[in-house]
Every structure is written in structure tokens, then in C-alpha cells.
Amino acid sequence: MMEVAYVCEWEKRPKSNHCPSIPLVCAWSCRNLIAFSTDLKNEEEDKGLDNAFITNITRPVVDHMIHIIDTDHPWDVYSINSGHTEVISCLEWDQSGSRLLSADGDGQIKCWGMTEHLVNSWECTQSSSLDGDPIIALSWLHNGVKLALHVEKSGSTNFGEKFSRVKFSPSLTLFGGKPMEGWLAVTVSGLVTVSLLKPNGTLLTASESLCRLRGRVAVADIAFTGGGNIVVAATDGSSSSPVQFYKVCVSVVNEKCRIDTELLPSLFMRCTTDPVRRDKYPAVTHLKFLTRENSEQVLLCASSQMGSIVECWSLRKEGLPVNNIFQHRSPVVGEKQPMILKWRILSATNDLERVSAVALPKLPISISNTDLKVASDTKFFPGLGLALAFHDGSIQILHRLSLHTMGVFYGSSGSSQRVGEEPAIKRQRAGGPTLHFKALQFSWTSLALVGVDNQGKLHMIRVSPSMGQMLDMNTLLRHLLFLLEYCMVTGYDWWDVLLHAQPSMVHNLLEKLHEEYMRQNQALQQVLSTRIVAVKASLCKLSSATAARACDFHAKLLLIAISSTLKSLLRPHVLNTPDKSPGDRLSEICAKNTDTDIDKVMINLKTEEFVLDGPPLQSLQQLIQWVGDFVLYLLANLPNQGSIVRPGFGFLRDGASLGMLREMLVMIRIWGLLKPGCLPIYTATSDNQDSMFLLFRLLTKLWLCSRDESHPQDPDETLIDECCLLPSQLLVPSMDWLPINDGVITKIQSKHPLRLQFGKPYTLPGVNPNAQVEVFRSPASQRMDHLRCLHLGISPTEDSKACTRCGCVTMLRSPNKTNAMRQWEQRWIKNCLCGGLWRRIPSTLT
């Protein structure tokens, strides 16, 4: 049910003065970035602390570090010396997964953002402070975006029914209803502080006491309501004291932030009313709302040195009982019984081992009784369980409402057991491991857990979607497909879903994903057009049988981006034109005109719409050259279409992509009349060979065979014979396909966990770490800037960045100054064309 995928640890330095000590907190973003904190302290000075009153050794300086990794390259850790003066108590990602909040025990809050959109380069962009008042709870203000996932409609063909937008108000809005960005924190002294990011970049900060009788707060959590309010749960840490709840309203009045608080119904833990357990668990160690968007269900954990107990509570409306005096009077028409909000316990565990960390699922499934029955019927379990880590090193997955145990994981052996396997559980408890998890977080689809133990090791753990139950292959495929669709709609990273996709599943997942996509309406298909291609490319890399198709999907992403960029340069000749843009008219005319003569197709176009100045056209030459080389490569490889392993095979039956290539050849032909220097360069065996004319003729014949995707036809013998002659007429280029991604996702399909080290890239056993492992390129060939389509040489010296998802490499600094190329570069300045994040790589690895 739970298996370790990999463990990443710090390099052991016996003689080093610095080493990581106890980690404190961690956070997992929707872009699959993980942040966790450690303290770096001097070991030698630390040994003298016990005799400090004799030797007068001062207390060593402790560096409070924040480490950020992406899950596919965990060794590439970016460590920030945060500048916090006390222990870091909170880490929180924003809803986009691109900014991070950190808070410490001295009241300092810092906002971190990427430098140049690189996941391994961060800087502090904003900060606020409540000097000397430790922060114990931290959250970004809600932006009003909430999506519901309907498990009962997983069989529906409409994405809109499976995933629906829920009406939810932002915590604070600007003019026009735009959500205002900012964060909210709760301090030990009972203060709530709010910092708002104004549009001009300045920070607006205010603080207010949670209640009139201000007291100590040991544990707290923050949730949001659909009406835009904020709910804070707080306790002083004693299980005999009440857990208080407060409504917090934030507003801006006369350019000043205003905070209003209101006391809500409170509760006492059930264990304090039990005579047997009254004094057994004196401290409340964990307090969590079940979800950030649900302030009506809360999880509480009370602990002692020997063990813990967990309770789940729910806020319900109940009728207020009326005194007997008033029960006999005649009721007024329309009068309703007065209602009151009251906390009721839903469930509680038996005595447990001492809890060290709690992780709650982020998947937004409903948890009413009806929804739980549907989940049980469909056997869809992701998002139903919460994780508890214990001091004996084990992890338990509990049902988040009933708190029944769904599975147990043992950290020492890296194994898990299903509920009911008592002998295995008892054996493990007898010799419990010394290591335990100090921080634990679920992924955004609840299919993975990340834990950081008390020695600084990071553990990535698979969590089976079946939760240990036996599922047939079709049901498992349907669950993975459902979560892939969820990631496509939300834009979340799907790396954790790939953890469970075995190579034998790839083909079926690709087919079913394409079928579901084609059932959506045209508008939604257009929105998801590039995202589904990126998902397919990620799936194909999991199997050696489909690795070539991954190259095709990446080439398709580049083709779509180049086509959009070139069409966007076209301008109508007169302003009072019809609704269709020049690019749309080009597509329409090329789709209707089946002539194989490129010059006859040009006659039907308004060539004045294609007039561009010389410099922009010349700067686009490398993109135009890629299009020309790609067309030549596809046609020259048509006779080899029986070989599925070869890259380019997927395009030979893709009518939409062939039509796109055909449109661009027409555009390039017209631009060549204006600026011959922008035309693609071919090496022909004859001086009078019109290469563009020949390629367009053959491409049109191939396009006619596949433009009807429902009834594709095989190319006729004449076309294949002509394509066989192409290598004797034109020099066929060797296309520079993307290398195999060096991430761990392709290496952890087996059940054996990988052992990794921070700072040391992982290489396959028996492979030279300096040699780049690639499928369709010799190691000594020219390196490419995959997005600018430029040759970088065999040993590039330029700083480069690589995509964390597909491995695409491009130069960090732009060598271009023309507006046309800058427009092209703006398409992927924040993310790769596949949607992956950028990370800086040394020039020697390019």
C-alpha cells in the first residue's frame, strides 16, 4: 500500500564543522516543489555547551536554512540561508506554487520568490515582523478559486461534471472583484496579523488581538469560509483547556488594513471528560482543519511522553430546546425553531503511539456520508485518508472521518501492511526504528507522501490509490485517468500520478486519455490542447517502447508554439476587416484548397497581410529552418513508417499537425519573396531544384491521406516512391530530438527504493556520469538550444536552464534583440512549452 520511492540524504562529512540537524517543517506545492527547513550548527562548539560555565564558550551561531527541491531532481537542492534569527516554525506555498512564506520564533515573516523564474534560485521579495512574538500558524489569503472533484461522476464524459467550480469568495477583493494578495499569521501571544500586497508592491500590515482576554496560544490553524471570512482555531496547549474558534474579517478602510474578530463556539476534547484518560494526555500537540476551505471539521491530537489520541470534530446546526413554559403557546405563522451551532465529536482513536507529525490530504473531494458511500462503491480512496507519523518510525493512514486504520507503513524496512495483518505489525513494533518523521506532507493528488526525518533525510513514499485493496487493472487505470484529467483541468503537476503508472499501462492510458479529451467541447479542447500533449509526453517516457512517441509530442508542442507565433505576426491590411484574423483565413483557405502547387494556393491569399519588415523576418530564420528541416525529415522517413520506434512516426497520421506544417510552408513561401534570406536552407543535388515546391507537393499528398482522422488512408505507392527518392535530391538533416529526462521518475518504476544524496546527480549503474544518456543522438554531437533552435557547440560555455519535466535545454540569456524573437521568447520565459519549471544547469552539463 505504501512503498518508498527514493530517499535523499545529506553527504556524510565526518570532519566537517557543519551538518544538518533536526528538520522542522516542510511544504509541498501544486507544482511539485518541496520546501523544508533545517538548522545548521557547529558540532565542535556544540560539544562544549555542557561545560559552558567553565570554558566560557559562547553559544554557537545557528543558520536557519530553507531547502527547496523539485521532486524529479531531489539531489538538485537549493539551500537558502534564510536570515531568520530563530527556529523556522511555518512554511507555506501560495496557490500558484511559485512563492513561499516562511515564519520563525521571533515573529519574522518572509516571502520568497524565484529569481529569473528558476526553481534553484530564490530571493526574499517582501517581509514583515512582530518582534519577539513567535509565529505558530501562517497562511496566504484565499484567492476565491475552489474546485470540487466529484467521484460519483468519474464515469461521465464531461469534464465540467467531474470537476466543478464552487462559489467561494476571496478573503479580500480589490476594485472590480480581483482578489487581493497577502498573508495572515497567528502568534503565541494571541495576536492575528495580516499583511496585504498592494498593486504597487508595497505592504500594508495590521495586527489585532483574537479576543479581549488575550492569552497564550500554543497550537493554531487557519481555514476559510465561502463568504470570504477567515476562521482561526487556537488552544493554549493544555488538553483540559477549551479549543477556541474565532471569525476574522479583513478589510481596507481609508488605505488602512482593518481586522475584526468574533468569538465562535468552542469545544473541550473528549479525552478530558473520560475518567480513565483525564490526565493521560495532558498536551494538545496538533490542531488541523480537515481542509483549508472547510472550517466546520477539525482534527485534534492530544499527547504525552508515552502516546497520543486523535479526535475528529464537526460543527453542526442544532435546534435550541425551548422551555416547557413556552411549548404550549400557539406558534406564530412562519416561526421557526431557533438554531444554534455546536461542536459534535465524529470519531476518536484508541490509544496510539506518540504522534510526531500529521499530514492531511489536499484532494478536494466531498466527505458527506453519501460521498463516502460512493467512494466505497467506486473503490476510489485518494483523498480519504490522513497520515499520522509516530515516534517509533511508522506511519498510519487513517480514514479522515471515521479514523479507522486503512494501512500502516514501517520506515525501517520500507514496507507496508494492510489492516488485519497483526503478526507483521507486532513484529515491527517489537524492534521499532530510532528514526522518525518530524514533518510529513501529502502531494496534491494524495498519491504520494514526503517525510523528513530527524536526521535530515527526505523520504518520498508512494501511496497506492487502492489503499491496499485488490483492484482489477481497469479500475486502477480509471482512477489514474481520473486524476490525470484533474491535473489537466487544474494545471497542477502530475508527477505523483506517474509514480503509479507502470510501463505496461502507458498505452492504455494514452488511448483512454485521448478518447476522453475528444469528447469535450471545442472550446475546452482548445484550452487543454497543449496540456494534454505534455501529459502524453510524460507518460511515454515511462516505457522504452513509447520513448520515440515522447519525442513526437515534444516536437508537436514546439510546432504549435511556432505556428502561433508566426501567425500572430500577421496584421490585416485594413482595420475594418471581418472577425477572422489573417491567421484564421490562412487556415481556412489551406484546409479548403487541396492543390499540391504551393504557388496556386498563394494566389487565393491577400499577400499584403503577410508583409513584414526585413529584420523581424531574418531574426525568425532559425525557427523557419526548423520547420523546413522537420518537413523534410518526416517525408524522407515515410517509407520507414512500419518502424514505430523511430521519432516522427506519430506525425504521419496526424492530419491536424500536417495541415499546420502546410500552412507554415505557404507563409514562409510568401515571406521568401520579401526577404529571400529568411527561407530555409537545403543542400540539393541539382541547382535548379525548387525544394519548397517539392516538399509542399509531397506534404499535401500525405495530408490528404490523413486529414479525415476517422477514416485515415494509407499513402499510395507513388507517394512512397517519391519519398524514397528524397535523400538523393536533398540532404536529409539529423533532427535534434530531446534527450531522455535525467529525472528520477523513469528510474523508480521498480519496487526498489533509490538511495540519493543532496548535491550529487543520480546516474544509472554502470553508466559514465559525464556521458549524457540519449536515445536519438550520439554523445559527441552538437548541443542545441531546443527552443531557439540554435547550435551551441559540443562544449557550450553559456549558462543554460533545463526544464524539470521534459529536459528541454535553452540559454539563460537571450542573444536576440528584435521584437519578433522577444515575442517568441516570452512564450516560455516562466515555464517550458510543456508547462514544466526551469532550473539553472552548469554550462558543462548542457
Side-chain angles (χ1 to χ4, degrees):
M1 195 199 86
M2 286 183 281
E3 299 165 341
V4 176
Y6 62 74
V7 178
C8 205
E9 58 187 354
W10 299 97
E11 184 180 4
K12 296 179 180 178
R13 305 173 190 170
K15 297 181 180 180
S16 173
N17 289 335
H18 292 80
C19 71
S21 69
I22 298 176
L24 304 164
V25 286
C26 77
W28 192 331
S29 81
C30 62
R31 305 296 298 277
N32 274 333
L33 295 178
I34 294 175
F36 63 101
S37 64
T38 59
D39 293 339
L40 291 181
K41 59 183 180 180
N42 188 294
E43 283 184 327
E44 295 179 0
E45 291 179 352
D46 219 16
K47 293 175 183 177
L49 284 179
D50 294 337
N51 299 318
F53 62 94
I54 299 174
T55 59
N56 293 323
I57 296 178
T58 58
R59 183 178 177 180
V61 175
V62 178
D63 296 327
H64 303 285
M65 307 295 293
I66 299 174
H67 310 285
I68 299 175
I69 63 167
D70 79 273
T71 52
D72 210 26
H73 303 85
W75 56 82
D76 189 10
V77 61
Y78 184 74
S79 299
I80 308 169
N81 191 338
S82 64
H84 283 292
T85 55
E86 292 293 337
V87 172
I88 297 173
S89 55
C90 302
L91 290 174
E92 282 290 327
W93 289 101
D94 71 345
Q95 289 87 349
S96 68
S98 58
R99 289 180 299 177
L100 178 70
L101 285 178
S102 63
D104 67 9
D106 193 39
Q108 293 184 33
I109 303 173
K110 297 190 177 186
C111 177
W112 303 90
M114 296 184 196
T115 307
E116 299 180 315
H117 310 289
L118 299 170
V119 297
N120 51 0
S121 182
W122 295 77
E123 63 181 356
C124 181
T125 57
Q126 300 280 355
S127 64
S128 62
S129 178
L130 286 173
D131 293 337
D133 203 352
I135 306 293
I136 56 169
L138 181 66
S139 175
W140 291 88
L141 297 181
H142 205 284
N143 61 359
V145 177
K146 183 184 178 185
L147 201 71
L149 185 145
H150 303 286
V151 179
E152 71 278 7
K153 296 181 179 178
S154 60
S156 172
T157 58
N158 187 354
F159 285 175
E161 294 180 359
K162 296 180 183 180
F163 321 107
S164 63
R165 180 81 178 262
V166 179
K167 187 177 180 181
F168 208 87
S169 298
S171 303
L172 189 62
T173 56
L174 294 165
F175 179 77
K178 181 182 177 182
M180 192 169 189
E181 295 183 323
W183 57 81
L184 175 138
V186 180
T187 70
V188 164
S189 68
L191 278 181
V192 56
T193 178
V194 175
S195 297
L196 304 177
L197 287 168
K198 297 176 69 175
N200 60 6
T202 59
L203 210 58
L204 197 62
T205 303
S207 300
E208 186 63 53
S209 177
L210 279 172
C211 60
R212 292 180 181 177
L213 298 175
R214 186 171 161 191
R216 177 180 179 271
V217 177
V219 190
D221 198 22
I222 301 166
F224 301 92
T225 67
N229 294 323
I230 304 163
V231 176
V232 174
T235 174
D236 62 5
S238 171
S239 59
S240 59
S241 300
V243 179
Q244 302 278 8
F245 295 84
Y246 307 91
K247 183 172 76 172
V248 179
C249 302
V250 182
S251 58
V252 176
V253 180
N254 298 327
E255 294 296 317
K256 292 184 178 180
C257 181
R258 176 178 172 179
I259 303 172
D260 296 306
T261 61
E262 178 185 337
L263 188 63
L264 298 176
S266 58
L267 65 88
F268 282 90
M269 290 193 68
R270 170 67 63 85
C271 62
T272 60
T273 61
D274 186 349
V276 179
R277 294 173 174 160
R278 180 173 298 169
D279 301 319
K280 190 172 183 180
Y281 303 109
V284 178
T285 53
H286 298 88
L287 165 61
K288 298 277 187 184
F289 288 104
L290 286 188
T291 64
R292 277 291 167 95
E293 285 92 8
N294 185 359
S295 61
E296 297 179 354
Q297 288 175 331
V298 67
L299 189 81
L300 296 165
C301 175
S303 303
S304 67
Q305 291 295 324
M306 302 303 295
S308 299
I309 190 169
V310 176
E311 297 178 358
C312 184
W313 290 74
S314 177
L315 186 65
R316 297 176 180 176
K317 282 185 178 180
E318 296 184 357
L320 189 64
V322 181
N323 192 284
N324 293 333
I325 299 175
F326 303 102
Q327 284 184 355
H328 300 292
R329 73 178 181 86
S330 57
V332 180
V333 178
E335 185 180 19
K336 295 181 180 179
Q337 182 183 11
M339 306 296 289
I340 188 173
L341 290 172
K342 197 168 186 179
W343 286 98
R344 290 291 184 185
I345 189 166
L346 290 178
S347 54
T349 64
N350 295 322
D351 296 339
L352 302 170
E353 298 286 345
R354 187 180 169 197
V355 173
S356 60
V358 177
L360 292 169
K362 301 182 178 75
L363 205 62
I365 62 170
S366 302
I367 48 176
S368 65
N369 291 332
T370 305
D371 294 312
L372 295 178
K373 183 180 184 302
V374 169
S376 177
D377 294 340
T378 59
K379 301 198 182 308
F380 184 86
F381 298 105
L384 284 183
L386 58 91
L388 299 180
F390 299 96
H391 276 264
D392 65 356
S394 65
I395 297 175
Q396 284 191 28
I397 302 288
L398 305 183
H399 194 289
R400 66 178 185 176
L401 282 189
S402 66
L403 297 181
H404 291 155
T405 304
M406 302 172 73
V408 186
F409 167 81
Y410 300 101
S412 59
S413 60
S415 62
S416 63
Q417 303 287 341
R418 287 197 296 271
V419 180
E421 299 184 8
E422 292 296 334
I425 293 176
K426 290 177 181 177
R427 279 198 306 270
Q428 292 292 338
R429 283 181 179 173
T434 56
L435 292 182
H436 62 273
F437 294 103
K438 298 288 288 184
L440 204 62
Q441 280 277 315
F442 266 112
S443 68
W444 283 70
T445 62
S446 303
L447 291 185
L449 269 172
V450 66
V452 190
D453 64 27
N454 54 342
Q455 289 189 359
K457 296 179 184 177
L458 184 139
H459 302 249
M460 181 61 65
I461 303 169
R462 291 188 185 96
V463 180
S464 170
S466 65
M467 284 294 176
Q469 306 226 1
M470 297 302 294
L471 296 182
D472 61 274
M473 184 58 71
N474 288 333
T475 304
L476 181 59
L477 283 173
R478 189 168 66 248
H479 292 170
L480 294 180
L481 179 67
F482 188 47
L483 292 172
L484 284 174
E485 292 167 353
Y486 170 71
C487 292
M488 277 174 46
V489 171
T490 57
Y492 296 160
D493 199 290
W494 49 86
W495 183 88
D496 48 335
V497 183
L498 300 183
L499 283 174
H500 302 272
Q502 297 299 319
S504 58
M505 302 178 185
V506 170
H507 180 71
N508 288 334
L509 279 174
L510 287 172
E511 284 191 344
K512 292 181 182 296
L513 189 63
H514 183 73
E515 289 173 6
E516 292 297 321
Y517 170 76
M518 295 305 295
R519 290 171 180 165
Q520 308 311 310
N521 60 59
Q522 198 65 34
L524 186 56
Q525 284 188 27
Q526 190 173 356
V527 171
L528 302 178
S529 59
T530 55
R531 207 170 283 169
I532 188 174
V533 177
V535 174
K536 289 178 179 179
S538 300
L539 285 169
C540 286
K541 287 192 174 183
L542 300 179
S543 170
S544 58
T546 54
R549 294 186 66 185
C551 294
D552 289 353
F553 288 127
H554 284 297
K556 187 170 183 177
L557 286 172
L558 185 57
L559 177 63
I560 293 171
I562 292 177
S563 175
S564 300
T565 301
L566 296 186
K567 285 182 179 180
S568 67
L569 297 174
L570 306 179
R571 294 291 182 268
H573 182 58
V574 289
L575 293 178
N576 55 345
T577 54
D579 295 336
K580 291 182 180 177
S581 65
D584 293 335
R585 281 197 293 276
L586 171 66
S587 301
E588 184 179 354
I589 291 171
C590 288
K592 291 179 180 178
N593 195 328
T594 59
D595 205 310
T596 58
D597 189 332
I598 190 170
D599 296 322
K600 290 182 180 179
V601 177
M602 285 169 49
I603 295 174
N604 297 313
L605 293 169
K606 297 179 181 179
T607 52
E608 62 270 13
E609 294 180 341
F610 293 81
V611 175
L612 294 178
D613 296 331
L617 282 178
Q618 191 61 48
S619 66
L620 294 169
Q621 202 280 330
Q622 64 262 29
L623 301 183
I624 293 172
Q625 183 68 48
W626 184 88
V627 173
D629 288 346
F630 191 65
V631 172
L632 176 55
Y633 175 87
L634 289 181
L635 294 172
N637 281 276
L638 180 60
N640 301 320
Q641 62 171 324
S643 174
I644 299 182
V645 179
R646 295 178 66 86
F649 174 81
F651 283 91
L652 301 179
R653 296 294 182 94
D654 188 351
S657 297
L658 294 176
M660 204 181 298
L661 286 168
R662 195 165 168 265
E663 295 166 15
M664 283 192 281
L665 287 184
V666 174
M667 248 192 306
I668 293 167
R669 181 76 163 188
I670 298 174
W671 285 342
L673 300 175
L674 303 172
K675 182 76 174 177
C678 75
L679 287 172
I681 300 169
Y682 297 104
T683 304
T685 55
S686 174
D687 292 338
N688 57 359
Q689 174 71 59
D690 189 344
S691 305
M692 290 278 292
F693 184 89
L694 174 63
L695 293 177
F696 184 84
R697 181 168 61 83
L698 298 178
L699 181 63
T700 301
K701 288 183 178 181
L702 181 58
W703 169 69
L704 290 173
C705 296
S706 57
R707 66 171 177 168
D708 186 1
E709 293 187 3
S710 57
H711 299 91
Q713 301 173 6
D714 292 329
D716 56 28
E717 293 295 330
T718 308
L719 176 58
I720 292 177
D721 290 342
E722 289 187 88
C723 290
C724 284
L725 294 174
L726 264 181
S728 63
Q729 297 170 304
L730 299 170
L731 180 64
V732 180
S734 58
M735 295 301 294
D736 192 275
W737 301 100
L738 287 178
I740 288 183
N741 187 9
D742 60 348
V744 297
I745 191 63
T746 57
K747 306 175 182 70
I748 54 178
Q749 299 305 312
S750 66
K751 303 299 182 182
H752 302 291
L754 295 182
R755 294 285 172 180
L756 309 172
Q757 276 192 4
F758 290 117
K760 287 190 175 182
Y762 177 78
T763 55
L764 291 169
V767 174
N768 179 5
N770 296 321
Q772 193 164 4
V773 184
E774 298 175 346
V775 180
F776 309 111
R777 183 204 298 174
S778 60
S781 65
Q782 291 270 338
R783 305 302 176 192
M784 284 286 294
D785 183 320
H786 293 110
L787 297 183
R788 294 186 180 92
C789 303
L790 294 174
H791 289 277
L792 301 178
I794 295 177
S795 300
T797 57
E798 290 288 331
D799 288 335
S800 300
K801 57 185 179 181
C803 174
T804 58
R805 182 181 289 164
C806 69
C808 174
V809 175
T810 186
M811 285 186 290
L812 194 58
R813 312 290 176 206
S814 171
N816 304 298
K817 295 184 179 179
T818 61
N819 290 332
M821 278 307 291
R822 285 184 177 179
Q823 181 180 341
W824 165 245
E825 291 171 353
Q826 285 296 318
R827 286 182 173 270
W828 37 266
I829 190 169
K830 290 185 178 180
N831 303 294
C832 177
L833 295 178
C834 71
L837 297 168
W838 293 115
R839 64 187 183 102
R840 185 196 297 267
I841 56 174
S843 56
T844 54
L845 296 180
T846 308

